[in-house]
Structures are given as C-alpha cells and as structure tokens.
Amino acid sequence: MSATLQGYPFSGEVLGQVPLEPCTNYTEMFQNFNYTNPDDPSTGGGVVELTNAFNTSQIGSFPTPGYLYDDLPPAQEIFPWTAQDGNVYEAEAYETKCWNRSLSSPKTCTENCLEYFDLYGATWFYLGDLYCSQSYPVASAEGEVPLVPPPGNVTLILTNQCSQYSYGPSPGQDNVTMYTLTDTYNNVYALQTATTNVTTEEEWQELVDTAGYPEGWVVGTETLTESQMHYSYVIGNDCWLMIVKDSNGNAWQQYKYGQPLESSELLASITCYPLAKNVTSEDTMPSVSAAMVRAGSSSTLLHLITLLVVLFAAFRP
C-alpha cells in the first residue's frame, strides 16, 4: 500500500511499525570505534547534538570520546548549526534509543548504514530531520508555533528519524511506571523527557497531572517489568515519529497508532508548517546531499532557531 495523506511528504510502500535491523545505540557506536569504556566520559559517552537552522537536519558526535559542548567553536562560528546542552531530564521509564541508518542510506541497507563525517574536531553522524510543527487544537500562524504551548494546547512535531526507543526498568528494579498520553484518535504517546528536574515518582506524577491537555486527551500509566521497544513508522525510505510537547514542557513520543499514519485524522486536521520552509541556505552539511535543503525566505529564522534548540529532546539518546 502507498501513502496518500495530502500535504505531507509520505510516499512509497507503507511498512508501518517494524523493527529496524541493525540498530546501534550510542554505547555500541563508541565500542565500534574501539573506545574501550563507552560509559567513561574520558573515553566515550559524551553526546553533543547540533541542528542545522537552514535545513533542520540533526547530527550527533556520539563516536567521539570525551567530546563536550565546550569543545565546540563559539556559536557565531558554527552557525547555522545550533546547540543546546542540558535542561532535559529523562523520564524514569525511558532507557535508551538506537539508530538503524541515516536517512541518506536506503532502507535495504544492512551494514555501514550510519553516515559519519568529521567536523569541529569530532566525528559525527547524521541523525535525521525535524520536519514540521503545529499547535493543537488551536492552530498557530506560520512561524509562531509556541515552544511550550499554553494549557489546553499541545505542540505537535513530526520528525523523520530511523531509530527506535526502549522503555523499561533500570538494572535492579522490578518494575517502573511509564506515563502515557492518549489523544481522541486513540494514538498513544510515552513520556520521554521533561525540562524540569524531578527525581521522585510523586514529582513525575505532579508534572504530568498539572499540564493542561486538549479536551479528551487522557494521561495514564503502564507498569513495565521488562524492556519495551517503540518503533518509528516506516513509509518508503522514511521513518516517521510524532513528538508531542505539553504546557509543562514535557516531551512525549508516539508509540501506538489508533489510525495508520498515512491516513491520520490528527495530521489531516492541522496545517503542519515545515520548520525550514521560510529559510534560505546553501548546502551546509558535510557529505549530505543538497537535495535535503528546503528553500524559501528568511522571515522566521529567529523563531526557527529558538524552536530547534528546544526540540533536541526528540533525538536525545
């Protein structure tokens, strides 16, 4: 079956949610580069991510031992790349994520599927793209989608990343609570990150309970006793994932579909503005095709850059 939802770049065979193999997490990446202890910050484990303000592509420095945000040149020298360090806290049930391939690699790829290149004294790989965003249910004008929506609204962010997420108890835990959010179309999202540093289950509960959601959206919980994998939605050569931001700044990633993504009534009900639509650029990403650059005017550049910095939670490991 082929995708047909008007206004979205869905094309090709619809595979839906399928396991992505191979799938490499950041610890394995360090090991693949022969760093003996990936969990030691001096030899690996450092994670720096950059988003291109012109084409919304994202790259990560995962295979570089000990590389920190402080190792980057000054912001004005790395523009159009933008970075954010910290202020994102993982939900208790969130374990990790892994990447199957860079979007520039075909879906038939079985080895060497992550595109690596050198930049700013580090080795990077191409994570994926932030595609579009919109407020729901009260829409925002183009270029004015809020970073954190007001109570009663959420911000929807459609991303393209060939990755999958793992949720479950940490070593030594018998179980863990995964917070869920269900919309009126029976799509379900798992809490991934918060921008508030909370440490207890009671604080997490308060954080999700006090956010204001659209009418009919319901917060719930699921008790996990083992790891649970959440998959991207594969259409053609793309791997789509919806991220929801609530009024407390929490990020939720979709893992259940009440309707097929290619015929989603939720997506059909909004005008999802491409994040790079109003920005002009040359191809600014090493070894990534210029075809990924979307062109236009630069009227919303400042808002776009601010939004991109906040949306790093969508790709964090």
Side-chain angles (χ1 to χ4, degrees):
M1 186 173 70
S2 296
T4 58
L5 188 63
Q6 187 174 0
Y8 294 89
F10 302 151
S11 62
E13 181 184 10
V14 176
L15 298 181
Q17 291 179 284
V18 293
L20 299 172
E21 297 292 344
C23 202
T24 308
N25 63 39
Y26 78 99
T27 300
E28 293 167 331
M29 291 178 196
F30 283 116
Q31 292 171 334
N32 291 344
F33 276 70
N34 298 317
Y35 303 136
T36 56
N37 185 2
D39 296 319
D40 181 348
S42 66
T43 60
V47 175
V48 176
E49 295 184 4
L50 300 177
T51 299
N52 192 307
F54 287 146
N55 62 15
T56 67
S57 56
Q58 294 195 307
I59 59 175
S61 69
F62 297 85
T64 304
Y67 195 80
L68 304 173
Y69 283 91
D70 289 343
D71 296 318
L72 288 168
Q76 65 271 22
E77 294 182 19
I78 68 171
F79 183 82
W81 294 106
T82 59
Q84 174 176 313
D85 183 15
N87 299 321
V88 176
Y89 305 94
E90 295 174 355
E92 287 186 302
Y94 180 67
E95 291 183 318
T96 188
K97 68 183 290 188
C98 63
W99 288 266
N100 165 247
R101 57 185 169 86
S102 296
L103 293 179
S104 49
S105 300
K107 66 180 180 181
T108 54
C109 182
T110 58
E111 59 182 12
N112 300 321
C113 303
L114 297 175
E115 179 182 346
Y116 294 104
F117 55 90
D118 294 327
L119 183 70
Y120 305 135
T123 299
W124 305 77
F125 83 101
Y126 176 30
L127 298 172
D129 291 330
L130 301 172
Y131 179 68
C132 66
S133 69
Q134 180 55 287
S135 305
Y136 181 87
V138 179
S140 296
E142 187 169 13
E144 298 179 6
V145 178
L147 308 178
V148 177
N153 246 34
V154 292
T155 295
L156 306 175
I157 307 112
L158 184 62
T159 71
N160 190 355
Q161 49 172 312
C162 291
S163 61
Q164 53 197 24
Y165 294 76
S166 174
Y167 284 72
S170 300
Q173 281 187 309
D174 293 329
N175 58 69
V176 68
T177 299
M178 180 178 71
Y179 291 95
T180 64
L181 180 63
T182 304
D183 66 25
T184 52
Y185 300 99
N186 292 320
N187 301 305
V188 187
Y189 313 83
L191 179 64
Q192 182 187 6
T193 60
T195 55
T196 301
N197 187 10
V198 293
T199 57
T200 68
E201 188 167 335
E202 291 74 19
E203 290 174 330
W204 279 107
Q205 186 72 59
E206 181 180 8
L207 190 63
V208 299
D209 284 346
T210 56
Y213 304 98
E215 184 177 357
W217 289 46
V218 178
V219 170
T221 60
E222 183 177 342
T223 300
L224 303 181
T225 58
E226 59 184 7
S227 292
Q228 180 183 97
M229 296 302 299
H230 297 174
Y231 303 112
S232 303
Y233 198 100
V234 179
I235 302 176
N237 204 54
D238 298 312
C239 308
W240 299 99
L241 180 72
M242 181 73 81
I243 303 294
V244 171
K245 295 278 286 187
D246 66 30
S247 61
N248 280 346
N250 305 314
W252 307 74
Q253 56 93 6
Q254 187 171 0
Y255 74 106
K256 290 184 179 180
Y257 292 78
Q259 301 168 326
L261 183 65
E262 68 275 11
S263 57
S264 167
E265 292 183 64
L266 176 61
L267 287 181
S269 71
I270 66 172
T271 300
C272 196
Y273 295 122
L275 288 166
K277 181 178 179 181
N278 292 329
V279 184
T280 302
S281 172
E282 300 293 330
D283 180 18
T284 53
M285 182 167 176
S287 70
V288 174
S289 168
M292 295 174 186
V293 178
R294 292 181 287 271
S297 71
S298 58
S299 60
T300 61
L301 179 58
L302 180 60
H303 180 84
L304 170 64
I305 293 172
T306 310
L307 181 61
L308 294 178
V309 167
V310 173
L311 295 186
F312 267 88
F315 288 91
R316 294 179 76 93

